[in-house]
Amino acid sequence: RRMQPGAGENLRRARGAPVRGRGHMGGAGKYIEMDRLDKVVNMEEGSRSIHKERAEMLGGAIDTAQADKAHARLKRMAAFDSHDYDPADNDLEEDARRARKRADYKAEEQWRWAMSVLIGVVMGFLAFTVDGLIKKFNGWKYGATTSSISPGGAGFGAWLVWVIISCLLAAVAGGLVSHVEPLAAGSGIPELKTYLNGVHLRGLLRIKTLAAKLGGIAFSIGAGLIAGKEGPFVHGGGLVGGGLSAFGSHTLGFRTKKPSHFRNDADKRDFVAIGTAVGVAVAFGAPIGGMLFTVEEGASFHSTGMLWRGFLATCTGVLTTHWLDQLDFDAMDFAGAKFGVHRDFGLFTDDEANYSRVFWWYFWEVPVFAAIGCMGGLLGAAFVNINVKITMWRQRFIPVSDKYRRHAEVIFVCFVTATVLFIMMAGSPCKPIPEAYRTAAATDADGNGVSDELPGGVAKFEYGVETRRQIRDQYFRSLFCKEDEYSSYGQLFFVPLADSLKLLLHLGEVYEQNGTDEFEQHLFTMDALIMYFVFMYALMTWTYGIGAPTGLFVPSLAVGAAGGQIVGRIVRAMVMSTGSEIVVDLHTYAVVGAAACLGGATRMTISITVLVMETTGSMQLIIPLMLTIFFAKAIGDKYSMGIYDTHIKIRGAPFLDEPEHAGVAVDKLKVAEVMADSLVTLRPVMRVRELVEVLTNTSHGAFPVTTTDVSEGHNAGDPIELHGSITRNLLLKMLTHRVSMFDPEEPREVLYENSEDRDALLEKLKQIPFKSPGVEMIASTLSRREMELSIDLTHFMQRHPFIVHADARLSRAYRLFRTMGLRHMYITPSKPQIIGVVTRKDLVEESAALTLGEKAADLSYEELTETERRASHDLPFLPYYTGNPGGVDGGAFSEHAAERVQHRSVGSSGDPFQKVPTSPSQVRDY
């Protein structure tokens, strides 16, 4: 006889064998158990081609290749668990909420703001520390190598010093990932984005991950890997936000008794999101851009409160870094130091550069900017697709599980990178130092006195103003060239990556006087720009994904800036060939190119526009930047996803995108077609032994609680009476602390006697900061007597879990699931019973206040104080239009309104409806 659907699982459960596959995967478990999708594989080609053309099959995995890929991705998802952002709604939590006073709500809100400030301050200190380490490592490496260089020499000794130091630093960066915390690899943005979407990644927010990530990025950049610090700072900020908001640490083994707020998934998610915003802000010195990054790319769940607190946190973080930088530079002149005149990607202060004269554009350049955006989109798509191929090869030959091979790859990549950069510097042609910087003596050729100051009449040098000699020594180094010459390739290749980006964007600003008259714009040689563009693009593509902390922002910006300079030079040459005196601004093209390349790789838009403007001072370029980034995203999306979304897919995480990007297949199916109908249920009161057996034999993350017996005579898909739902983690906590366990033969003890006991019990059951151990470990600590006790789940189960109809479209369930941040959702029969309806007006504060007031009167509550009585509904009323309900004449429920209702209640036959309301009170009742 053919078994009923799900009978196999019931049979295995009855025999005591573990239930395979389904676990927290729901209905997808049936695919996870399969080795191959035989139905799709065996489909005839004729039938396959017919179904492809049917609209109702659009989005289905009909081809064998499509089915195999979808099946493989789904099987990878089985390793992931999910967070549940649905607030706890059990009897204990309800009792605690009813007992909360106004002071409790006020204290919690104050702590939210205080925590935001604290996250900003801590990330400011960490950013200052990491930046200091990077400067020390770069100073050591470049200083030791430069001292080994002799003009006209062979350079082998200098190369050896350069490579040894680089590889030593890379070995530390790779070791922190391979041997300390694998999740510290890469930028961390895909991982944080996955976490904020509701997917749990074990170890992502541990203290050792923070140390490995931020410590490792300092060594990665010091080693000269083509990487930036911004991505790791995003991860570090999320770690700080999640760790501080827990008021405790699982690793350190402590938690505070007071305060004890925010120990739930939803609040932790919000503070992690705020931390990511601060990470971007302190990395770029861009508070607005940092917050926009989190809203656009990081957080899947937004709220106005999170935006406000993130706004404060990013401001505090950047302020802290500025304060520490000034103290480090000159603590004695702190009061007289000018703040706000330094850009993260600027060579000079705003006073010197005068960005209003540096950046300009012409209307006829708009199509050129659009073309740069298209090229940025193509380059970004090529980068993503090539990096995917490299990642596949890397996973095959250098798997994450092979620590030593992964560690060796980091050192090898660093060796190749260092060698390429050194060869480019050593083989560089020599160019004369520009006239503006060449003479720094006290007299000119005629013996007249010459100041060692910059052209342009600068008479006084304030903090940060460079002299000609300093600019020449820093940015026009001779290296292997003669004294009055500089290395044209070394100018870009023999400097830290972030410094080469600054040179491409800004070098020459302080003597360019509108780009005309006395001084020309600084022109990098075309061969240097082309080689820089090609080598950096190739090394960036290869480096992203190795076993070391590496960010993508700075490499993408540097490659794009070089590309923009190349396009600008071409446009400049074309304009000059016409004999026109129009001056093309190369700085503008460098900034636009940088934004185009970063937008093409990441597909971010608004946040990149603001970040680039904040970090380069290019406020005048807002329209070119917006246009360029739009085209970069539009073109890039045609050929691939963004790099972060691509790596999320590669990792196999069950990431839920926004509903409009969920795919067309969810519109073609009903919920009943994808749901798991073979349920493992718990009884409200059951034996501890039975509960342990269920937890041991299944991997489910939550269980419906019911009195319906599903062991015999119950087919899969038959409805059951749902009393509530309870999560696996809460059950493990209850077993760990022996909560609500009792002997049926003896009188039961009360759960708690007062509010202090209740609050202490709630703290015991929280998963933050201390997570519950596995069921095997807990079972080993339970005595035989305890195993025979009963456990009451009634007061701990979620009383009102989210439900959706079985015949609802899958897209409806998707929207509810994604919007509410759920971990699971139960399915009801197509025609459930109802007892009432709620509208928007029933949910507003005024309705709740009136209902609670009536309830207080019915229970003979004491009169509220004036402070407690004050609420937002005491504001005056201002109607939208004439006749707007709620006016002084009684509004919609005046006598005249009641007459209109009575008049409209008479049908065409003249007979009124039964029980027509005729007075305002009856209208309200009606």
Side-chain angles (χ1 to χ4, degrees):
R1 187 170 64 90
R2 187 171 181 267
M3 296 181 67
Q4 292 288 339
E9 284 86 344
N10 291 330
L11 183 60
R12 285 193 295 273
R13 190 178 301 113
R15 293 174 177 173
V19 177
R20 295 183 287 114
R22 299 295 175 93
H24 51 269
M25 292 304 301
K30 63 182 180 182
Y31 296 116
I32 294 172
E33 294 177 4
M34 297 179 183
D35 294 328
R36 190 174 176 83
L37 296 172
D38 294 331
K39 284 186 178 180
V40 176
V41 172
N42 296 329
M43 186 188 301
E44 295 181 1
E45 288 301 322
S47 176
R48 198 188 304 275
S49 60
I50 292 174
H51 285 303
K52 281 183 181 179
E53 304 301 324
R54 297 177 61 182
E56 59 267 29
M57 297 300 170
L58 181 64
I62 297 174
D63 288 335
T64 302
Q66 286 181 316
D68 284 343
K69 290 179 181 179
H71 187 211
R73 286 197 298 269
L74 195 59
K75 289 175 77 71
R76 287 197 294 268
M77 292 179 189
F80 294 90
D81 201 353
S82 303
H83 294 290
D84 191 356
Y85 298 141
D86 185 22
D89 193 19
N90 54 45
D91 292 349
L92 256 69
E93 291 285 352
E94 183 178 357
D95 188 29
R97 287 195 181 98
R98 289 182 182 276
R100 294 188 71 183
K101 300 179 180 179
R102 185 175 297 274
D104 297 326
Y105 289 102
K106 186 176 181 180
E108 181 176 340
E109 186 66 15
Q110 290 173 342
W111 271 108
R112 289 186 189 276
W113 289 101
M115 189 55 59
S116 302
V117 173
L118 185 60
I119 292 171
V121 171
V122 172
M123 270 309 296
F125 273 91
L126 289 176
F128 174 76
T129 303
V130 173
D131 288 342
L133 283 174
I134 293 173
K135 290 177 183 177
K136 293 293 184 183
F137 293 150
N138 283 332
W140 173 40
K141 184 176 72 172
Y142 285 96
T145 306
T146 303
S147 62
S148 303
I149 293 176
S150 57
F156 176 78
W159 170 81
L160 194 61
V161 172
W162 170 260
V163 168
I164 289 176
I165 296 176
S166 298
C167 290
L168 284 174
L169 295 173
V172 177
L176 288 172
V177 170
S178 298
H179 304 288
V180 177
E181 180 50 65
L183 278 174
S187 70
I189 293 178
E191 290 79 7
L192 259 295
K193 187 174 180 179
T194 302
Y195 175 87
L196 292 174
N197 190 255
V199 181
H200 178 66
L201 299 176
R202 291 193 305 271
L204 183 68
L205 301 180
R206 291 176 183 167
I207 291 179
K208 71 173 184 177
T209 310
L210 175 65
K213 194 76 174 189
L214 295 185
I217 190 58
F219 285 96
S220 293
I221 296 176
L225 293 172
I226 307 306
K229 64 182 180 181
E230 288 71 22
F233 270 42
V234 170
H235 191 176
L239 283 157
V240 170
L244 291 178
S245 62
F247 294 106
S249 169
H250 182 82
T251 303
L252 300 179
F254 84 95
R255 67 177 173 187
T256 61
K257 187 176 180 180
K258 294 290 183 179
S260 59
H261 311 293
F262 320 132
R263 288 174 180 160
N264 59 78
D265 286 342
D267 283 327
K268 185 175 182 179
R269 172 201 67 200
D270 289 346
F271 282 110
V272 169
I274 290 172
T276 62
V278 179
V280 177
V282 298
F284 280 111
I288 304 297
M291 193 62 241
L292 289 176
F293 166 84
T294 295
V295 172
E296 180 179 5
E297 183 69 9
S300 297
F301 304 92
H302 311 132
S303 67
T304 306
M306 188 196 78
L307 185 67
W308 290 347
R309 289 187 289 274
F311 189 80
L312 175 63
T314 55
C315 171
T316 305
V318 175
L319 182 63
T320 302
T321 55
H322 287 345
W323 173 64
L324 293 172
D325 285 337
Q326 179 58 33
L327 289 180
D328 180 60
F329 180 79
D330 187 1
M332 303 305 295
D333 189 33
F334 187 84
K338 287 184 177 180
F339 285 84
V341 296
H342 302 275
R343 304 285 174 172
D344 192 69
F345 292 146
L347 282 180
F348 314 102
T349 65
D350 290 7
D351 291 342
E352 299 166 300
N354 195 353
Y355 291 115
S356 62
R357 296 187 305 159
V358 170
F359 298 112
W360 69 87
W361 54 284
Y362 307 101
F363 191 82
W364 56 265
E365 290 179 302
V366 169
V368 182
F369 296 145
I372 292 176
C374 294
M375 288 188 289
L378 292 174
L379 285 170
F383 161 72
V384 171
N385 290 322
I386 295 172
N387 183 260
V388 168
K389 300 294 184 183
I390 295 174
T391 302
M392 292 171 60
W393 178 90
R394 185 173 279 141
Q395 178 59 25
R396 182 179 178 185
F397 295 102
I398 314 174
V400 176
S401 58
D402 194 331
K403 299 179 180 179
Y404 299 100
R405 192 176 295 182
R406 198 179 190 205
H407 193 182
E409 185 203 14
V410 175
I411 300 174
F412 177 72
V413 170
C414 179
F415 173 82
V416 173
T417 302
T419 301
V420 168
L421 297 181
F422 189 89
I423 290 175
M424 294 304 301
M425 180 270 293
S428 168
C430 299
K431 297 289 183 181
I433 295 177
E435 183 67 28
Y437 301 129
R438 190 180 305 168
T439 303
T443 59
D444 61 12
D446 298 329
N448 299 319
V450 176
S451 171
D452 191 34
E453 300 164 355
L454 292 171
V458 180
K460 180 181 178 181
F461 294 94
E462 300 172 348
Y463 165 63
V465 177
E466 303 282 355
T467 63
R468 280 185 291 181
R469 184 186 299 276
Q470 291 172 318
I471 293 176
R472 184 188 68 180
D473 293 343
Q474 288 186 34
Y475 310 133
F476 295 89
R477 291 184 294 173
S478 298
L479 299 175
F480 287 102
C481 299
K482 298 178 182 179
E483 183 178 354
D484 289 335
E485 297 178 333
Y486 73 97
S487 172
S488 61
Y489 292 0
Q491 190 176 42
L492 292 176
F493 285 93
F494 197 66
V495 291
L497 182 64
D499 289 354
S500 66
L501 170 60
K502 295 176 183 179
L503 292 170
L504 288 167
L505 295 175
H506 298 293
L507 185 60
E509 287 174 345
V510 295
Y511 72 89
E512 279 174 6
Q513 296 189 2
N514 293 325
T516 59
D517 301 329
E518 267 186 74
F519 301 101
E520 281 275 344
Q521 296 188 74
H522 176 74
L523 302 179
F524 295 97
T525 59
M526 280 293 286
D527 52 346
L529 289 172
I530 293 173
M531 289 185 179
Y532 183 90
F533 177 83
V534 171
F535 282 115
M536 290 301 172
Y537 183 82
L539 290 172
M540 173 184 72
T541 307
W542 183 26
T543 303
Y544 190 81
I546 64 172
T550 53
L552 182 63
F553 279 36
V554 170
S556 297
L557 290 169
V559 169
Q565 283 268 3
I566 293 171
V567 174
R569 292 287 293 277
I570 294 173
V571 174
R572 179 177 181 272
M574 294 174 63
V575 170
M576 292 179 64
S577 67
T578 64
S580 173
E581 296 183 357
I582 293 176
V583 179
V584 175
D585 183 24
L586 299 181
H587 300 299
T588 294
Y589 280 87
V591 171
V592 169
C597 191
L598 181 58
T602 64
R603 311 298 156 78
M604 294 186 292
T605 54
I606 301 173
S607 55
I608 291 180
T609 303
V610 176
L611 281 170
V612 171
M613 287 194 301
E614 284 187 290
T615 53
T616 62
S618 54
M619 183 63 69
Q620 298 84 352
L621 304 183
I622 182 171
I623 298 300
L625 286 172
M626 293 174 67
L627 187 69
T628 300
I629 292 172
F630 169 80
F631 277 96
K633 176 175 173 56
I635 298 299
D637 283 345
K638 289 183 176 293
Y639 300 100
S640 73
M641 297 183 295
I643 186 64
Y644 301 137
D645 292 331
T646 299
H647 273 260
I648 290 173
K649 286 284 187 182
I650 289 174
R651 300 296 176 88
F655 187 91
L656 294 183
D657 213 332
E658 293 177 305
E660 57 267 27
H661 299 146
V664 297
V666 296
D667 281 333
K668 313 295 182 180
L669 295 170
K670 293 184 177 181
V671 175
E673 295 178 281
V674 301
M675 70 180 185
D677 54 10
S678 180
L679 301 177
V680 178
T681 63
L682 301 178
R683 296 191 303 275
V685 179
M686 59 191 305
R687 293 282 185 182
V688 172
R689 181 182 299 280
E690 295 172 343
L691 178 59
V692 171
E693 288 176 356
V694 171
L695 293 175
T696 303
N697 294 333
T698 67
S699 58
H700 295 54
F703 302 88
V705 180
T706 181
T707 56
T708 304
D709 186 5
V710 297
S711 59
E712 296 181 2
H714 184 88
N715 295 323
D718 288 348
I720 63 173
E721 186 179 74
L722 182 64
H723 289 214
S725 175
I726 191 164
T727 64
R728 182 186 193 89
N729 289 331
L730 181 54
L731 291 169
L732 293 175
K733 280 284 188 178
M734 292 176 65
L735 291 175
T736 300
H737 298 288
R738 279 55 171 176
V739 175
S740 197
M741 293 167 56
F742 64 95
D743 188 340
E745 305 298 330
E746 298 179 2
R748 294 181 59 176
E749 297 180 0
V750 295
L751 278 175
Y752 53 87
E753 296 182 352
N754 49 52
S755 59
E756 289 78 9
D757 292 344
R758 179 202 59 219
D759 295 341
L761 178 58
L762 285 172
E763 283 300 313
K764 279 184 182 180
L765 300 178
K766 288 182 179 178
Q767 295 293 314
I768 300 173
F770 299 140
K771 296 179 176 59
S772 55
V775 63
E776 294 83 3
M777 183 179 297
I778 296 174
S780 64
T781 65
L782 292 170
S783 65
R784 290 186 178 181
R785 180 182 178 279
E786 289 174 330
M787 292 288 278
E788 297 305 323
L789 296 177
S790 295
I791 185 168
D792 188 354
L793 310 179
T794 308
H795 300 293
F796 303 91
M797 61 186 182
Q798 186 87 338
R799 290 285 189 176
H800 315 108
F802 282 91
I803 59 174
V804 70
H805 293 181
D807 60 352
R809 280 189 305 166
L810 188 58
S811 57
R812 183 178 184 86
Y814 187 101
R815 284 195 301 272
L816 178 61
F817 207 98
R818 171 64 162 72
T819 303
M820 302 306 299
L822 304 180
R823 192 193 182 287
H824 52 271
M825 188 162 53
Y826 295 106
I827 313 303
T828 67
S830 301
K831 298 179 180 179
Q833 294 179 326
I834 63 173
I835 61 171
V837 64
V838 174
T839 67
R840 177 185 295 266
K841 302 177 188 67
D842 299 312
L843 302 176
V844 297
E845 180 186 1
E846 289 78 2
S847 175
L850 289 172
T851 304
L852 192 59
E854 288 191 34
K855 185 176 180 180
D858 292 340
L859 297 176
S860 300
Y861 280 4
E862 296 181 0
E863 184 178 358
L864 299 176
T865 63
E866 178 63 27
T867 303
E868 292 172 320
R869 195 184 301 115
R870 193 179 301 124
S872 62
H873 45 263
D874 61 359
L875 296 174
F877 175 77
L878 181 64
Y880 278 110
Y881 46 81
T882 304
N884 191 195
V888 295
D889 59 348
F893 298 121
S894 63
E895 296 292 342
H896 181 59
E899 292 176 5
R900 291 201 302 270
V901 172
Q902 182 181 11
H903 174 72
R904 290 172 182 160
S905 301
V906 180
S908 57
S909 63
D911 296 330
F913 291 112
Q914 294 181 356
K915 299 181 180 178
V916 175
T918 56
S919 68
S921 61
Q922 289 176 326
V923 171
R924 282 192 290 271
D925 294 338
Y926 182 74

